Amino acid sequence: QVQLVESGGGLVQAGGFLRLSCAASGRTFSRNAMGWFRQAPGKEREFVAAISWSGGSTYYASSVKGRFTISRDNAKNMVYLQMSSLKPEDTAVYYCAASKLVGVTTQYDYWGQGTQVTVSS
């Protein structure tokens, strides 16, 4: 079992930046691929970014590529999502997720409670 707690969300103006953090606890964190997802009001949850267990591989949704960066610190059991050049359409609840797999994946087994990001125009 992996427990995930997100933080760092908030209100920011378009063009601004935020860094989301995800604290993981439970089973060996360093062996889990990690990801970030988001869900806007009235929309389905969508994939944002993923990182392999070592941090050596990353993958991004086309809508955020070049603006968002996912990273991890296995010594601290932390995953981060650095978001820049934010747009109003980035407004959503952002979720951290952990996979039982080690490589970049779309399959996730554990989820955090989410943190709200609101981008004003």
Side-chain angles (χ1 to χ4, degrees), residues 3-4 8 10 15 23 26 29 35-36 46-47 57 59 74 77-79 86 88-90 92 96 105 110 113-114 117:
Q3 292 78 43
L4 304 170
F29 167 76
W36 286 94
E46 64 174 358
F47 167 79
S57 297
Y59 183 71
N74 287 345
N77 287 0
M78 296 292 294
V79 179
L86 282 162
E89 51 263 43
D90 294 318
C96 177
T105 179
Y110 308 102
Q113 83 291 348
V117 172

Side-chain angles (χ1 to χ4, degrees), residues 38-74:
R38 66 187 182 186
Q39 187 167 21
K43 296 186 177 181
E44 293 188 354
R45 186 167 57 191
E46 64 174 358
F47 167 79
V48 174
I51 189 167
S52 63
W53 71 273
S54 67
S57 297
T58 58
Y59 183 71
Y60 298 91
S62 57
S63 58
V64 307
K65 194 171 185 179
R67 300 188 298 122
F68 291 11
T69 301
I70 188 171
S71 62
R72 66 190 296 163
D73 185 337
N74 287 345

Side-chain angles (χ1 to χ4, degrees), residues 1-32:
Q1 194 78 4
V2 176
Q3 292 78 43
L4 304 170
V5 178
E6 303 96 335
S7 62
L11 174 64
V12 63
Q13 289 187 333
F17 60 89
L18 278 175
R19 188 177 83 155
L20 304 184
S21 299
C22 173
S25 61
R27 59 173 284 181
T28 305
F29 167 76
S30 63
R31 299 301 296 175
N32 297 96

